[in-house]
């Protein structure tokens, strides 16, 4: 606690102008809200949320494709968080068909091994979860098993945010979990202050302090405030597994347009496990028709309480937007900790 207080004092002494820092990890938002970190920061320092929740940035078209698979008689397996994310006309929770919650791809494979039906795993997540999926596919699961790849890569989304400039950002807290796997060398090309941070209160505060120091000194590098888990190069074995099975592809994010090389598609050698090709699925683009502002939250342009639906029409029990669904979604986090 004393260390945390010292860092807070230093942050307040060092902030000399309006600053906007973005984190791109839902677990960071949960830590910031749970510990009340914003309440001890100077008014000139604003920490905003980015596209750090993999469930939240899964677009409605991919949810519609998963619903269509279930309604066609296939067994659809998914993480619990994805079950209530809205598509264009409902969610997997409200869809007809055999839809099962699993804790990971290995459980989905077990289901396929014990049924004659086709089983599809909705494979969601940033780079953190991809190596496990790749390792499973390398073990040659049964022919009746496939995945709908909804994986995304963080660096291309950051590049898009920097190119747009709409959020007026001064620096980034980089995602600790992703960097544990991927390292942080990919982020060194961005001409903006960045710090890899962990998830304890002192970790987040230290990351903010290091960013402020960079900004005040006119530096723009990547610094590591999470060395107990993260190295510059990351986990090379996990990366090799990922790129043996997957290759970068252009893909749409909810709240964003199609971002080049931000997705991960199965390579040709693994197309037998690609549900999109196996069942000739076309992922549609769905225009948002709701007053929900999740798209603005994911781009760092608004806070949950700016939404007219927050806490009234949209609650964790009856979510309208994806940010109220996942435990890494900003709206659900704010509903839990800010009220």
């Amino acid at each position: 606690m004393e260390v945390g207080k010292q860092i807070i004092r230093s942050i307040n002494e060092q902030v000399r102008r309006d600053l906007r820092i973005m984190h791109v990890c839902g677990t960071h938002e949960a830590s910031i809200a749970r510990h009340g970190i914003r309440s001890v920061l100077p008014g000139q320092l604003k920490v905003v949320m980015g596209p750090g929740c993999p469930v939240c940035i899964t677009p409605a078209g991919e949810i519609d494709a998963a619903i269509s698979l279930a309604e066609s008689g296939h067994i659809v397996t998914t993480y619990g968080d994805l079950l209530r994310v809205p598509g264009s006309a409902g969610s997997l929770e409200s869809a007809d068909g055999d839809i099962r919650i699993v804790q990971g791809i290995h459980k989905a494979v077990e289901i396929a091994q014990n049924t004659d039906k086709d089983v599809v795993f909705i494979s969601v997540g940033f780079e953190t979860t991809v190596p496990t999926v790749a390792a499973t596919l390398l073990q040659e699961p049964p022919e009746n098993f496939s995945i709908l790849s909804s994986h995304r890569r963080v660096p291309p989304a950051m590049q898009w945010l920097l190119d747009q400039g709409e959020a007026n950002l001064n620096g980034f807290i980089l995602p600790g979990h992703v960097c544990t796997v991927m390292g942080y060398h990919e982020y060194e090309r961005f001409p903006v202050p960045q710090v890899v941070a962990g998830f304890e209160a002192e970790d987040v505060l230290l990351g903010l302090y290091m960013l402020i120091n960079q900004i005040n000194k006119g530096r723009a590098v990547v610094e590591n405030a999470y060395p107990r888990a993260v190295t510059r190069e990351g986990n090379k074995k996990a990366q090799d597994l990922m790129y043996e099975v997957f290759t970068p592809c252009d893909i749409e994010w909810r709240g964003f347009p199609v971002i080049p090389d931000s997705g991960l598609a199965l390579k040709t050698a693994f197309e037998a496990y690609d549900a999109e090709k196996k069942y000739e699925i076309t992922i549609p683009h769905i225009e948002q028709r709701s007053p929900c502002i999740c798209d603005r939250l994911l781009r760092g342009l608004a806070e949950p309480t700016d939404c007219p639906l927050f806490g009234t029409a949209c609650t964790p029990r009856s979510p309208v937007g994806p940010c109220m669904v996942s435990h890494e979604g900003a709206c659900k986090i704010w509903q839990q900790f800010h009220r």
Side-chain angles (χ1 to χ4, degrees):
M1 184 177 292
E2 185 56 36
V3 171
K5 289 178 179 178
Q6 290 174 4
I7 301 173
I8 291 166
R9 283 195 296 269
S10 298
I11 288 173
N12 279 272
E13 291 167 1
Q14 292 295 320
V15 173
R16 300 162 187 168
R17 60 186 175 91
D18 289 343
L19 298 175
R20 287 175 61 84
I21 304 299
M22 174 179 280
H23 67 73
V24 283
C25 178
T27 309
H28 275 141
E29 182 58 35
S31 179
I32 289 167
R34 183 173 67 250
H35 295 295
I37 287 176
R38 287 188 178 90
S39 68
V40 299
L41 300 178
Q44 289 179 297
L45 177 60
K46 193 169 187 64
V47 182
V48 300
M49 299 143 279
C53 168
V55 170
C56 301
I57 52 86
T58 302
E62 291 180 19
I63 302 300
D64 285 1
I67 291 172
S68 176
L69 285 167
E71 292 177 343
S72 299
H74 309 307
I75 298 173
V76 170
T77 57
T78 177
Y79 297 116
D81 274 6
L82 198 67
L83 204 64
R84 304 176 72 196
V85 173
S88 63
S91 64
L92 282 165
E93 184 179 52
S94 61
D96 293 328
D98 191 345
I99 300 165
R100 307 184 191 182
I101 296 174
V102 293
Q103 292 180 319
I105 187 172
H106 62 291
K107 290 296 183 182
V109 170
E110 287 179 13
I111 293 171
Q113 290 169 338
N114 291 285
T115 183
D116 293 330
K117 286 188 173 183
D118 285 1
V119 177
V120 182
F121 176 63
I122 312 303
S123 198
V124 174
F126 294 129
E127 297 98 322
T128 317
T129 59
V130 182
T132 303
V133 176
T136 301
L137 295 183
L138 285 167
Q139 293 171 10
E140 299 182 358
E143 292 181 0
N144 64 330
F145 178 79
S146 59
I147 71 166
L148 186 65
S149 179
S150 295
H151 292 294
R152 264 83 177 165
R153 299 174 58 237
V154 175
M158 283 182 52
Q159 181 69 67
W160 188 91
L161 287 164
L162 288 169
D163 290 344
Q164 296 300 307
E166 59 182 356
N168 192 27
L169 302 172
N170 299 105
F172 285 90
I173 295 178
L174 297 181
H177 294 143
V178 170
C179 291
T180 299
V181 175
M182 301 303 296
Y184 55 83
H185 59 281
E186 288 185 277
Y187 300 88
E188 292 174 341
R189 60 192 171 95
F190 299 135
V192 62
Q194 302 163 78
V195 174
V196 185
F199 302 97
E200 299 300 323
E202 290 84 357
D203 290 329
V204 177
L205 290 168
L206 178 60
L208 289 171
Y209 174 70
M210 292 169 69
L211 277 171
I212 294 162
N213 263 335
Q214 275 200 55
I215 294 166
N216 287 344
K217 294 177 180 178
R219 301 173 67 230
V221 297
V222 181
E223 293 182 303
N224 185 9
Y226 197 27
R228 64 184 184 273
V230 173
T231 64
R232 180 180 181 274
E233 298 302 326
N235 186 327
K236 293 290 291 180
K237 185 175 181 179
Q239 294 168 34
D240 291 344
L241 276 173
M242 183 172 90
Y243 287 119
E244 184 177 352
V245 176
F246 290 91
T247 186
C249 65
D250 302 347
I251 198 167
E252 179 186 353
W253 296 45
R254 191 184 291 254
F256 295 75
V258 172
I259 302 176
D261 288 336
S262 65
L264 288 166
L266 288 171
K267 288 185 172 180
T268 304
F270 299 90
E271 283 186 351
Y273 299 114
D274 188 340
E276 201 168 336
K277 290 184 168 62
K278 188 174 184 178
Y279 304 111
E280 299 180 349
I281 296 169
T282 299
I283 306 293
H285 168 71
I286 308 295
E287 291 290 342
Q288 180 177 306
R289 296 182 177 87
S290 164
C292 165
I293 64 167
C294 280
D295 58 333
R296 293 178 57 78
L297 295 179
L298 295 168
R299 302 203 308 273
L301 302 177
E303 296 181 343
T305 48
D306 296 329
C307 182
L309 307 180
F310 178 77
T312 54
C314 184
T315 67
R317 189 178 295 273
S318 56
V320 175
C323 294
M324 189 62 87
V325 175
S326 171
H327 68 281
E328 292 188 334
C331 292
K332 184 172 183 179
I333 292 167
W334 279 46
Q335 182 78 0
Q336 182 178 358
F337 292 111
H338 285 248
R339 287 183 169 242

